Structure formats: structure tokens, C-alpha cells
Amino acid sequence: MNLIVKKNYIEMSTTAARTVADFIINNPGSLLCFCAGDTPYGMFEQLIEMQKKGLLDLNSVYYVGLDEWVGVGEETTGSCVQVMNDHFYLPANIKPERKLIFNGLNNPQDECKKIADYIKRHGGIGLTVLGIGMNGHIGFNEPGTDISELCGVVALDDVTKSVLPKYFGRQLPLTQGVTVSTKALSEAKQIILIASGEKKAAIIKKIIGSKNRDIPASLLAHLEKTCLIVDRSAYI
Ligand code: GLP
């Protein structure tokens, strides 16, 4: 693991954005997998800014969705697709043929097959940028889950259900998620984990100090190719 501790959220985002930009410039045509959630907003803004300045072409690579809540689609504010559309795909002008994402309104097994086939067709994931859940989940790889395929359907953990209103502005009776698996993510050429803020400090400490399936992020964090970028408030 390469641990980078930055002064604040903006610097964390800048470091992540520069790493992603270098990868895109050096690996055109490869497949990228970005997390939704709040953490990557700053990184997305900076990537879009770099594109506006002509420093990189975000349509020179492909994108695959990381995860989705089963039962919601792009019409629902708070769904992963809505977050990604509004904060990245639309402002970055990503062409429809450059991306494939989960549809939480379709049959979850079919969606997993669709995304797994896309990952296979692209020869695996080149770069992934991943946020970390309060319980150490990655995408919807919840504590203790072990998906043997590239994608899977997962029962949402109680901690994830309790964090759900942060995204949707209300409690929703969602019980499952679809996600790219830890296995598929661990096979990416480059892995970036990002975390910001005091609320993530306890789980970051656990991730750095241990490696086990109860903290899915720890399985990725301890790989040699992984870069864990946090800000000072998330690092105690
Ligand atoms: C959410 C999503 C993940 C996200 C993580 C952290 O539940 N399933 O894709 O990366 O938890 O989210 P945030 O960045 O909002 O803390």
C-alpha cells in the first residue's frame, strides 16, 4: 500500500485527479471504474476542469459502473446513476458508447451479467477509484461477503442502511445492492482508495492496521499496487 495523507479534501482530490489523469493519458482505451458517493466530487470537478483546459480527453477511455442500490433508477435522487450522471458523465460529456452502468430497476442477476460481460470484453479494469463505506465496504461489497464472480447481488448491511438517508434525503426500504466484486477490483491494474473527514478516521485506522474480509476495503488497501489517499482529518 502506498499511503498518502494530504492536508485537506481539496488536496486529496487533486492528488487523486492527477493520478487518474496520468493513467488516462498513458492508457487510452482502458476501462475505468469510479465510485459514486460524496467523496469523489472534488476529483470529478478537477478532471472535468483539466478536460476543459485541453489537458486530457475523458472520452479516450471507457467507464463501468461500480454499484447501485437495487430498486432505484436514474429518476431517484441519491441513486448511484443519478450521482454519476450529475457529477461526472454529463458535465464531462461522456459519450453513451463509452460507459455501461447498473440499472437498479432491472433484474439484479441480469445486471450483474451485463456488467461482468462488459468488464471481460475490456480485458478487465484498468484503473478504479473507490470510496470507503462507514463499515469498510467497497461498492456494495459488504463486510463478510465473498463474491466469487466479477459482479454480485448483496444484502445491505445495517450500517449501510443507516447511512442511506444521507444520499436519498429520507429512509427507503432498500435491502440489496449490485456491485462489481472485490475480486474484480483487486485485479485492476491500478487501485486508488479515497477517504476524507473525521467520520472516516476510525475505519481508516482499522483498514491500515488489519487485513480481513470483515473490512472489504482492507483486502484492496494492502495490495502493493494500491494507493490510499486520505486527508488529515481521516487519519488518526
Ligand atoms: C456508498 C457506496 C459506495 C461509496 C461508499 C462511500 O454506500 N455504495 O460506492 O463509495 O458508500 O460513500 P461516501 O463517499 O459518500 O462516504
Side-chain angles (χ1 to χ4, degrees):
M1 171 203 317
N2 176 17
L3 171 65
I4 301 176
V5 183
K6 301 306 288 188
K7 198 166 73 191
N8 53 35
Y9 176 72
I10 294 176
E11 287 197 6
M12 181 209 79
S13 304
T14 305
T15 305
R18 285 197 184 135
T19 310
V20 171
D22 285 347
F23 187 90
I24 292 176
I25 290 163
N26 293 320
N27 299 275
S30 61
L31 183 64
L32 273 59
C33 183
F34 288 159
C35 61
D38 295 341
T39 313
Y41 289 178
M43 180 192 80
F44 290 154
E45 274 173 23
Q46 295 200 32
L47 286 170
I48 291 160
E49 204 46 45
M50 286 182 209
Q51 175 166 259
K52 276 188 192 142
K53 288 181 182 158
L55 301 173
L56 87 160
D57 175 9
L58 292 167
N59 275 298
S60 64
V61 290
Y62 294 86
Y63 302 90
V64 65
L66 171 65
D67 58 357
E68 188 57 277
W69 310 83
V70 171
V72 295
E74 60 186 353
E75 306 293 299
T76 304
T77 301
S79 63
C80 296
V81 57
Q82 177 271 318
V83 169
M84 290 304 293
N85 280 343
D86 289 0
H87 291 271
F88 185 68
Y89 294 132
L90 294 174
N93 292 317
I94 301 303
K95 295 177 185 147
E97 65 272 22
R98 289 270 159 185
K99 66 177 166 71
L100 194 69
I101 48 190
F102 288 104
N103 184 340
L105 297 174
N106 288 348
N107 175 289
Q109 301 293 354
D110 292 348
E111 287 298 299
C112 286
K113 185 174 182 322
K114 173 186 95 176
I115 296 292
D117 287 349
Y118 190 71
I119 293 173
K120 278 184 212 151
R121 269 208 310 282
H122 285 266
I125 296 167
L127 167 77
T128 183
V129 180
L130 302 163
I132 298 169
M134 294 298 288
N135 58 2
H137 77 197
I138 289 287
F140 278 128
N141 292 277
E142 296 283 28
T145 54
D146 186 15
I147 304 170
S148 58
E149 308 293 325
L150 295 180
C151 298
V153 188
V154 179
L156 298 180
D157 184 73
D158 285 345
V159 174
T160 302
K161 287 181 191 164
S162 72
V163 178
L164 182 155
K166 173 179 95 153
Y167 303 106
F168 294 100
R170 61 201 153 118
Q171 191 55 257
L172 288 178
L174 306 179
T175 57
Q176 289 183 311
V178 275
T179 187
V180 174
S181 68
T182 309
K183 172 186 150 53
L185 297 167
S186 69
E187 288 166 0
K189 280 195 205 133
Q190 206 171 334
I191 301 169
I192 301 173
L193 299 181
I194 49 174
S196 161
E198 265 171 50
K199 62 181 186 305
K200 294 282 169 75
I203 193 66
I204 293 299
K205 194 174 181 185
K206 283 190 194 162
I207 289 166
I208 293 171
S210 60
K211 182 185 172 192
N212 67 70
R213 200 171 289 156
D214 288 337
I215 311 172
S218 71
L219 302 178
L220 297 174
H222 289 273
L223 298 173
E224 210 173 306
K225 61 190 165 187
T226 298
C227 188
L228 171 60
I229 311 172
V230 300
D231 65 10
R232 227 179 260 158
S233 58
Y235 186 67
I236 44 170

